Amino acid sequence: GKAGTTAGWGGSTVSMKALPKPMTLNRQKYRHVDRVEIEDHAIFDRFLDAWRQTGAMRYGYLYGTYEKDTMVPLGIKAVVKAIYEPPQESAVDGVNMIDDPDAATVDEVAKMLGLQKVGWIFIDLEVMADDASKYVCSRGPDTYFLRGNEAVLAAHMQNQHPSPCRECDEGEFGSKFVTVVVTGNDKNELDYVAYQVSQQGQDIEQAVGILEWTSKPDKCRVALSTQDRYVPAVFYQDVSEYGNQTTHSADPYFPALYLVVSVNGPTFPNESNPLFSKSFPIENRMQSPQGPDQLKSVLNSSDMKAIRPTGQLKCVSDFHLLTYLAVNHSSILSLRDDKEGLKAICKAVAARDSGLLTDVLQRPSWLNLVAIIG
């Protein structure tokens, strides 16, 4: 239109200068997290057990801490101390995510333990038809590292977990939230790899409705402009077989690879001193469900006697047990009471203080729970 204006979006006149500028996707050369470390191999093995028993895909959230990574100058690593498995409908070829009514409670328990949600993990394994000990390699530079729908979901989760930044006006920049995939590698061995989505990927996803996944696993799609919404042009750059840089239009598809940033790991420490034990059943599993009988078994364990404070600490230091108590018995063990409630128990577990825990377990709240469960 005249004077640098155009009409058509929502029937209103819009200044050309106000329209979003075209974007060119570049492969991100930096990352917000340098490495993923799983504190104990048993954490990973217990998660993988669900697939071993059913053959169905599974996902979970990684809880842990961000720490200095001495293997990389100025590096940061995400240290995973527990995997929480939310409600889900699992199948051999996918997972249907279900709203988790306990999500806020689990986050609160993690916070009381000094932990936070640092990422998510999912299983994508297929056994080879001619050798049950080997796995199909479906991911790589010639196909995809993350499928389009996985990249869009990862970008969404990263936007839900931004990193604090004092240098930014908004107080946030990027995200340290990681994605871990359990899959078959190019040697047809079981492998686990970590990724993030680029900052550009986060920005596009945050503009709700622009970034879309498609039935093509290696592609994402840019939504088309409509009468009510203007979508800027998106381009991506590549290097031709002759070494020349070429620019392509995402019209409307572009390779999901342009959104993916590789992260080192997951690795495991040479000497493990995990915060949590692994005896209580994992939540939302049909094969070995949680319940009063499993809690009773813990409460009646010989290690739970007051004369064995170290044994008590080992029994209670279980992330799945603590979240079970928070979800099902918060009326007895208050999440707010730092003297004898679950908050006090979590404080003792986080500090690895057997003496403090023994004192809490001799108070009325815990004794009432023991009496009720029997």
Side-chain angles (χ1 to χ4, degrees):
K2 296 181 180 180
T5 63
T6 185
W9 285 281
S12 59
T13 300
V14 181
S15 169
M16 294 294 289
K17 294 182 179 180
L19 294 176
K21 300 295 188 292
M23 170 185 284
T24 299
L25 297 177
N26 296 297
R27 296 181 188 271
Q28 186 168 295
K29 297 181 180 179
Y30 67 92
R31 54 197 178 194
H32 294 279
V33 172
D34 297 284
R35 181 162 62 95
V36 178
E37 179 180 279
I38 300 179
E39 188 179 52
D40 184 17
H41 213 294
I43 299 172
F44 176 75
D45 284 339
R46 290 192 78 195
F47 175 67
L48 195 58
D49 278 342
W51 176 84
R52 294 186 180 116
Q53 294 170 13
T54 66
M57 291 180 66
R58 192 91 182 150
Y59 87 99
Y61 290 113
L62 308 174
Y63 282 89
T65 55
Y66 294 112
E67 301 177 10
K68 181 179 179 180
D69 187 358
T70 57
M71 297 176 65
V72 179
L74 302 176
I76 297 174
K77 64 181 178 179
V79 180
V80 178
K81 299 177 183 290
I83 300 177
Y84 170 77
E85 300 178 19
Q88 55 196 279
E89 294 176 350
S90 301
V92 175
D93 58 349
V95 175
N96 183 25
M97 294 180 166
I98 302 173
D99 287 339
D100 184 5
D102 303 324
T105 302
V106 175
D107 284 346
E108 187 170 357
V109 171
K111 185 177 180 180
M112 292 190 294
L113 291 163
L115 310 178
Q116 61 180 304
K117 198 180 288 181
V118 298
W120 70 304
I121 181 172
F122 65 90
I123 298 172
D124 181 21
L125 284 173
E126 181 183 352
V127 176
M128 296 188 69
D130 58 348
D131 190 343
S133 66
K134 295 184 179 296
Y135 305 91
V136 174
C137 176
S138 59
R139 298 171 186 263
D142 297 328
T143 53
Y144 51 83
F145 294 113
L146 291 178
R147 293 187 180 96
N149 61 330
E150 296 161 356
V152 173
L153 181 57
H156 178 69
M157 290 185 181
Q158 287 178 208
N159 281 325
Q160 288 181 319
H161 300 86
S163 294
C165 180
R166 288 177 293 184
E167 305 300 324
C168 295
D169 294 338
E170 298 83 2
E172 299 170 344
F173 177 72
S175 173
K176 298 182 183 70
F177 197 86
V178 298
T179 297
V180 177
V181 187
V182 185
T183 188
N185 62 19
D186 57 2
K187 297 179 181 178
N188 301 116
E189 300 170 337
L190 186 147
D191 201 3
Y192 25 85
V193 285
Y195 304 104
Q196 284 196 294
V197 169
S198 68
Q199 186 63 46
Q200 286 184 319
Q202 283 189 241
D203 293 341
I204 299 176
E205 193 282 329
Q206 205 162 31
V208 180
I210 291 182
L211 182 62
E212 301 175 342
W213 59 273
T214 76
S215 58
K216 301 178 180 181
D218 61 332
K219 297 287 194 294
C220 286
R221 181 172 60 197
V222 178
L224 300 176
S225 295
T226 66
Q227 183 176 357
D228 300 317
R229 181 169 191 174
Y230 173 78
V231 177
V234 176
F235 302 92
Y236 61 95
Q237 292 184 334
D238 203 351
V239 177
S240 71
E241 57 182 314
Y242 304 106
N244 299 320
Q245 191 173 69
T246 58
T247 300
H248 308 274
S249 173
D251 190 20
Y253 302 102
F254 66 91
L257 289 170
Y258 278 80
L259 303 181
V260 178
V261 180
S262 180
V263 177
N264 293 330
T267 61
F268 300 90
N270 294 327
E271 297 182 4
S272 177
N273 183 24
L275 176 62
F276 299 117
S277 60
K278 290 96 185 162
S279 56
F280 198 71
I282 294 174
E283 56 283 325
N284 299 308
R285 287 192 181 181
M286 296 187 65
Q287 300 86 3
S288 52
Q290 297 177 335
D293 290 341
Q294 288 72 31
L295 178 58
K296 184 177 180 179
S297 178
V298 173
L299 298 181
N300 293 334
S301 168
S302 59
D303 285 334
M304 283 299 292
K305 295 181 180 178
I307 59 174
R308 295 182 176 177
T310 304
Q312 287 182 322
L313 181 62
K314 181 179 178 181
C315 285
V316 176
S317 296
D318 189 309
F319 186 79
H320 307 287
L321 171 63
L322 294 171
T323 54
Y324 175 83
L325 292 173
V327 170
N328 296 279
H329 297 287
S330 59
S331 60
I332 303 173
L333 296 172
S334 170
L335 274 67
R336 305 287 182 268
D337 190 339
D338 59 0
K339 299 296 182 183
E340 58 179 281
L342 196 62
K343 187 174 183 179
I345 294 174
C346 289
K347 180 180 179 181
V349 169
R352 305 184 191 230
D353 191 332
S354 58
L356 177 59
L357 180 64
T358 297
D359 178 64
V360 175
L361 299 189
Q362 290 175 342
R363 294 179 179 269
S365 293
W366 182 264
L367 298 178
N368 286 341
L369 176 67
V370 173
I372 292 171
I373 299 300

